[in-house]
Every structure is written in C-alpha cells, then in structure tokens.
Amino acid sequence: MANISTLVQEKFIFLHTFIRSPKAVGSITPSSKFLAQALTKSIPWDSIGAVAELGSGTGPVTKQIKLAAKPHNRIILFEKDPVLREQLSVRYPEYACYPDACQIRSAASAEGVGQLDAIVSGLPFFNFPEQLRKQLMDEIAAALKPGGLFIAFQYSLQMKQLLSRYFHIEDIRLVPINLPPAFVYVCRKKEQHP
C-alpha cells in the first residue's frame, strides 16, 4: 500500500511542478520504468566512474540508476526545482544534488570528480530558448571525457540536428510505454565539437 501511496504522491508533485513551470518540466507525468531502463541500460557500469543525471525530477530515472550502478560509481544529480531537489536529497542521500545543469563541471569538481564518463538527461531541451540549449550542450560536451556517453530522452526527433553537432548519435530508440512515448538518444562525445 505504501508503494501505491508514494507513486500517487510523486505523480501529484510532478503534475503540480508541471503546472507551475511547464516549459521547465516538459511532461505532465514522471518517466515510466521502461523509459528509465532504456536510459540506463547503455551505460557500461562496470567500467566507468562518474555519471550525472540532469533533470532528476521525482527520481524515476535516479531509482533505475541506483539499481544499475556499482559501488565504485559516483553519481551526481541535477534538479532545478527546490522542492524536488530536497526530496531527491532525502531519498538518495548518497548522491550529491545540484540546482543548475549549466554548472556540471563546477559541481563535478566540488565532488572531487574530473570529467564524467556518462550524462543521462531528462531535460526538455526543445522547450528551452536557443541560447540556453546551446549553453547546456556546450557544458555537457565539456563535462564529458573523450568518448563519454550522453543519453537523453526527448518527445520528438527535433534535437537530432543539434545533438549531431556535438556527438556521434549511436542509436535512437522509441520507448512506446511512456506517457507520452519518448525517443532515447544514445550519443558519444566527438573529438571536436563546435
């Protein structure tokens, strides 16, 4: 019964956050378990060190990260909304949680991490102004090690052109069991980016 109550509470909080800031949230409901699994299964957890999650929200992807991660992995979360960030800090006290995804490198440095092996993102990039999208892409690319993975979900293929400037897009998967259905981009950092 507690799990159902928690799930309903998470959906309510997420919906409330969406109503307050629809462009920052991008969806009326949290990511499904299937989407969270699709985001984390491309990460070679045994052979990497540090991973960041952007736009952690109520934590459905964070939960999947915790299930997949190995004891040696360092996880850093980013969530802009202060209420959601506080809840993440309570639910995942072992993970550092920061407010600004435009400051990935400084947060990683504060955690004693150099460049990241992978970044997982649920940010609704296409809802953001063009300047913010570019700033985020620059920061993500700079924060990743050479050959690092960027795995993001979007609700359309509109980000394909921008992502291809920074990354080799290795795969795009449709996850139909999500509301709305989502595309997962599996990308690898290019040697040179804009």
Side-chain angles (χ1 to χ4, degrees), residues 106-122:
S106 62
S109 179
E111 294 302 315
V113 173
Q115 287 182 298
L116 298 163
D117 295 285
I119 296 175
V120 176
S121 175

Side-chain angles (χ1 to χ4, degrees), residues 160-188:
K160 188 175 179 182
Q161 184 176 357
L162 179 60
L163 286 171
S164 66
R165 287 188 212 155
Y166 292 83
F167 304 100
H168 296 291
I169 299 175
E170 296 184 343
D171 194 15
I172 300 174
R173 302 180 194 131
L174 175 65
V175 179
I177 308 174
N178 191 70
L179 187 63
F183 293 95
V184 172
Y185 292 82
V186 179
C187 308
R188 193 166 298 277

Side-chain angles (χ1 to χ4, degrees), residues 85-188:
R85 194 169 58 252
E86 176 62 29
Q87 289 183 343
L88 288 163
S89 295
V90 169
R91 285 180 65 194
Y92 302 99
E94 67 273 36
Y95 301 155
C97 193
Y98 289 86
D100 190 355
C102 290
Q103 301 292 321
I104 301 168
R105 288 175 293 171
S106 62
S109 179
E111 294 302 315
V113 173
Q115 287 182 298
L116 298 163
D117 295 285
I119 296 175
V120 176
S121 175
L123 295 177
F125 288 101
F126 211 73
N127 289 356
F128 299 156
E130 186 176 347
Q131 182 179 351
L132 177 57
R133 274 199 305 266
K134 185 179 182 325
Q135 184 181 359
L136 283 164
M137 286 287 109
D138 287 343
E139 183 67 14
I140 289 164
L144 281 170
K145 289 180 177 176
L149 287 170
F150 178 57
I151 303 168
F153 79 85
Q154 299 290 287
Y155 297 115
S156 74
L157 294 174
Q158 291 174 305
M159 284 296 293
K160 188 175 179 182
Q161 184 176 357
L162 179 60
L163 286 171
S164 66
R165 287 188 212 155
Y166 292 83
F167 304 100
H168 296 291
I169 299 175
E170 296 184 343
D171 194 15
I172 300 174
R173 302 180 194 131
L174 175 65
V175 179
I177 308 174
N178 191 70
L179 187 63
F183 293 95
V184 172
Y185 292 82
V186 179
C187 308
R188 193 166 298 277

Side-chain angles (χ1 to χ4, degrees), residues 40 45 61-70 75 91-95:
T40 58
W45 296 99
V61 177
T62 314
K63 179 179 180 180
Q64 205 58 45
I65 287 172
K66 185 173 181 173
L67 291 172
K70 305 302 179 190
I75 311 298
R91 285 180 65 194
Y92 302 99
E94 67 273 36
Y95 301 155

Side-chain angles (χ1 to χ4, degrees), residues 10 13-14 17 24-25 29-31 53-62 77-89 91-92 97-98 122-123 153:
E10 282 179 10
I13 291 166
F14 198 90
T17 306
V25 177
T29 185
S31 303
E53 181 195 359
L54 313 182
S56 300
T58 57
V61 177
T62 314
L77 308 178
F78 290 85
E79 175 50 52
K80 184 178 180 177
D81 185 87
V83 173
L84 298 180
R85 194 169 58 252
E86 176 62 29
Q87 289 183 343
L88 288 163
S89 295
R91 285 180 65 194
Y92 302 99
C97 193
Y98 289 86
L123 295 177
F153 79 85

